[in-house]
Amino acid sequence: MQNTLVDSPFGTFEIKRRPARHHPSLQAWDAADRRMLAEVEHAGEVPSQLLVNDAFGALSVPLAGKNIINWGDSAVSALAIAENLARNQLPQAPFATSLDDVPVAQRVLFKIPESARLFAWQLAQLNKALPVGTPIILAGMQKYIANAHEATMADYLADLTPQLTKQRARLWLARSGTETSIKNSKPYLMPVSNQQDISVHQHPGVFAEAKLDIGTRVMLQYLPTIEPGEQVCDLCCGAGNLAAAWLAMHPEAQVTLTDASAIAMHCSVNTMEANFPDANVTLHHTDGLANIEQKFDLILCNPPFHQHGAVTTDLAWHLFKQAAKQLNRGGRFVVVANRHLNYHQILKRLFKRVKTISKDPKFVVMVCQN
């Protein structure tokens, strides 16, 4: 049975993950959220608070009505927070994406992301926007905090004071500093069959930031064998690798790119503009195919299997269900994944025909049809 009730110094609330279907062991909060809330109660109220990287609302819900503003990257998080506030009959809170200006507040509550590069970029943006000396409370689970995270805090924050680790959750008290420089990600070249290399634009925190990931590399080998379609979607597009590769082979295609990450969408925009400025391209920052009414002849997907640190197939199930509903008659869903994830078992429950076309020992490419 899934536990959806969380006790906090501000009351007991029902908070659920998104997608709703997930492993019973996964909760919408962790011990770091609890420590953060306890510290907020101890520190007392302030006129406004900026919440950074609240995953599902574990901070937003207990602090609702206390002049909170969210700043984060994920469309899934934005939807989950809104759903959980409504579930508890609480007022909605503004949500600014990573690409929006950082909202100014009197205190920052910062859940530390798994990516140390994204962490550094976010701290640099905070230092640019906030008055020097703004109080910041940072928290994260021990298993996701690396030496690079601690070095980043030392570089960007002032008066950094670590607290005792409790229940494997770590907490730091600090103030915003003056350091605003960041090492920008450089575009890399992606080879495409019989075509000139494509310049893929990157950003700190985007999946496979430094180079082409192995799953996409395997998918690229088999794209020339896929029957063309007029309406094509790159689902979970990241920096736009699969969409770019498809346009290199089929420049007349109408291509839709979608990703939950605002930063990923920014990279996709840059990748498209640099390589295919005249292509018929549409981009959506959303949860998979949520709020997209269009149907497709072909959907390409290299799905994530991590969500806020947890290894899970729940995201894949959610995305595969969306894809099955939004294919045109005779349309194809082409997905690449690690073999050990056994996605073919899920896909066979959603599609009438699932065919494996790859021979790679670690990654599998499957073509699915109804």
Side-chain angles (χ1 to χ4, degrees), residues 11-91:
T12 299
F13 304 93
E14 184 180 19
I15 304 178
K16 295 184 178 181
R17 293 176 68 94
R18 183 184 174 97
R21 184 191 186 280
H22 58 81
H23 193 278
S25 66
L26 296 177
Q27 297 178 339
W29 65 90
D30 57 27
D33 293 310
R34 290 175 177 269
R35 287 210 64 189
M36 181 87 77
L37 291 169
E39 181 59 34
V40 169
E41 183 197 35
H42 174 73
E45 292 193 10
V46 292
S48 61
Q49 299 181 96
L50 177 63
L51 314 186
V52 182
N53 302 328
D54 188 10
F56 302 106
L59 300 176
S60 300
V61 170
L63 297 174
K66 299 182 183 297
N67 200 13
I68 60 172
I69 308 170
N70 273 284
W71 185 58
D73 189 57
S74 171
V76 176
S77 293
L79 289 168
I81 291 168
E83 290 168 352
N84 281 313
L85 287 169
R87 181 172 287 116
N88 291 274
Q89 299 181 340
L90 295 168

Side-chain angles (χ1 to χ4, degrees), residues 159-230:
D159 300 334
L160 182 63
T161 308
Q163 308 298 297
L164 291 175
T165 302
K166 297 180 181 179
Q167 296 181 318
R168 300 179 183 177
R170 300 190 65 183
L171 188 81
W172 289 262
L173 305 181
R175 294 184 181 275
S176 57
T178 58
E179 181 60 67
T180 60
S181 63
I182 185 72
K183 184 179 179 181
N184 291 321
S185 304
K186 296 181 180 179
Y188 62 79
L189 294 179
M190 177 178 70
V192 179
S193 179
N194 300 321
Q195 299 288 339
Q196 184 177 358
D197 288 349
I198 290 171
S199 175
V200 179
H201 286 245
Q202 290 294 313
H203 189 284
V206 171
F207 173 66
E209 177 191 337
K211 60 182 180 180
L212 185 65
D213 70 282
I214 301 175
T216 298
R217 191 182 299 276
V218 172
M219 175 81 101
L220 292 178
Q221 297 175 29
Y222 294 92
L223 279 189
T225 70
I226 304 300
E227 181 182 344
E230 182 178 345

Side-chain angles (χ1 to χ4, degrees), residues 129-165:
L130 300 176
V132 175
T134 299
I136 302 178
I137 304 172
L138 306 99
M141 297 305 294
Q142 174 67 48
K143 60 182 177 180
Y144 303 131
I145 306 297
N147 291 339
H149 289 89
E150 298 197 61
T152 295
M153 284 187 272
D155 288 341
Y156 287 92
L157 298 174
D159 300 334
L160 182 63
T161 308
Q163 308 298 297
L164 291 175
T165 302

